[in-house]
Amino acid sequence: MSLPATAVVAPTPGSLDSYHVTREPYYRAIGDEVALYEAAYSVRMPIMLKGPTGCGKTRFVEYMAWKLGKPLITVACNEDMTASDLVGRFLLDASGTRWQDGPLALASRYGAICYLDEVVEARQDTTVVIHPLTDARRILPLEKKGEIIEAHPDFQVVISYNPGYQSLMKDLKQSTKQRFGALDFNYPEHEVEAEIIAHESGVSMDVAKNLVHIAERARNLKGHGLDEGISTRMLIYAGRLITQGVAPLAACRVALVRPITDDPDMRDALDAAVTTYF
Ligand SMILES: Nc1ncnc2c1ncn2[C@@H]1O[C@H](COP(=O)(O)OP(=O)(O)OP(=O)(O)O)[C@@H](O)[C@H]1O
Ligand SMILES: [Mg+2]
């Protein structure tokens, strides 16, 4: 069947195929975050995931994209990032200039979840490009191209934010914050965290629980000599080394103690915690 001459052929969203999460990511729900996210997505509310490093924010958004069957485009934000890096730019090639959509344009044009990781790292003049996409307008003006993208119905913005790290100079503007709903993340309670570590690293539950005990000691030292406690991610690394046959003491030194502090007294205190449990 041929199309009538006047048919408008929508651009093929083929460009998003590679952004689908094809296999179910392992995600252990901690509270009601899955249901809350689903409700937020159903009204396309932009969402902010708040929590310390290595506590499951990225894993959660991957899981939600898979569960909702939507493509996921992730952008690691940094302070050198410009608005063009998000929105797109003209490129010069053999046949002349051609427009290339940036990740935000791609996601809003074809309908993906756009995850801006560590968004506070971006300069505030870069962050404001998400403003028209995260209010009732849901548009993205491509000024250089002279086009306004009306966001695809499936499009949603998700940002992550580590509340501990912000200085006055580096924080989101209120006008950015107030466009988002927020979900708080933290390290899960003991048993659940051990379950995650056992699953991700292959260690037994007993070993995983000991790793969590050590982390809890370190987390209590946050603000008393440590900037940040030991994350779930670090515990998984330690577990993986143990699974590889590394002795638990050495594994904990390499994966837990050495990376987070250079202070000799603090290292001694943490090493002592390790020897209590291994
Ligand atoms: N609830 C959870 N269910 C399953 N895995 C988890 C969970 N929480 C943490 N993890 C594990 O911890 C690892 C670190 O989590 P993730 O990378 O999502 O942290 P993050 O919060 O995005 O950290 P950062 O702020 O540094 O980007 C994951 O790769 C995953 O293995
Ligand atoms: Mg992350």
Side-chain angles (χ1 to χ4, degrees), residues 57-271:
K57 302 182 295 295
T58 296
R59 180 61 65 88
F60 174 70
V61 79
E62 287 168 353
Y63 173 76
M64 292 311 304
W66 172 83
K67 194 160 194 283
L68 296 165
K70 304 298 173 203
L72 174 67
I73 299 182
T74 300
V75 184
C77 300
N78 63 69
E79 59 181 7
D80 295 329
M81 201 170 74
T82 63
S84 302
D85 293 328
L86 284 177
V87 165
R89 54 169 54 91
F90 281 106
L91 296 180
L92 253 167
D93 62 15
S95 51
T97 55
R98 129 187 105 77
W99 174 261
Q100 188 181 50
D101 276 342
L104 201 57
L106 209 56
S108 55
R109 202 187 284 285
Y110 301 118
I113 295 172
C114 191
Y115 179 43
L116 304 176
D117 207 353
E118 285 299 333
V119 74
V120 283
E121 293 299 327
R123 291 192 314 269
Q124 291 186 344
D125 57 320
T126 306
T127 319
V128 294
V129 306
I130 64 178
H131 281 195
L133 273 173
T134 48
D135 57 31
R137 292 172 287 170
R138 284 179 58 90
I139 56 167
L140 179 64
L142 308 179
E143 273 158 31
K144 288 185 187 145
K145 189 168 180 254
E147 181 191 350
I148 293 179
I149 298 177
E150 295 207 14
H152 186 285
D154 291 351
F155 171 75
Q156 185 199 25
V157 179
V158 180
I159 61 179
S160 76
Y161 179 92
N162 185 323
Y165 295 166
Q166 274 66 56
S167 64
L168 269 181
M169 293 303 292
K170 238 186 193 179
D171 196 2
L172 294 176
K173 286 152 107 65
Q174 277 298 333
S175 57
T176 306
K177 283 186 184 173
Q178 295 196 14
R179 287 175 147 76
F180 288 81
L183 293 175
D184 274 334
F185 283 74
N186 214 327
Y187 309 120
E189 55 101 5
H190 197 103
E191 284 281 323
V192 175
E193 189 167 21
E195 189 185 314
I196 294 169
I197 294 158
H199 180 278
E200 294 287 277
S201 70
V203 294
S204 68
M205 271 303 273
D206 285 342
V207 171
K209 282 182 194 167
N210 284 341
L211 289 170
V212 178
H213 277 300
I214 296 165
E216 283 165 349
R217 290 266 194 104
R219 288 168 192 168
N220 288 333
L221 294 170
K222 185 176 167 181
H224 305 278
L226 281 185
D227 296 335
E228 191 64 76
I230 290 174
S231 65
T232 309
R233 178 189 297 127
M234 298 180 97
L235 298 176
I236 293 167
Y237 281 151
R240 286 185 182 154
L241 290 180
I242 295 170
T243 311
Q244 285 304 306
V246 177
L249 279 176
C252 289
R253 275 195 194 124
V254 170
L256 308 181
V257 180
R258 298 295 179 266
I260 57 165
T261 179
D262 298 317
D263 179 86
D265 293 337
M266 195 51 72
R267 284 186 169 187
D268 286 346
L270 292 175
D271 280 341

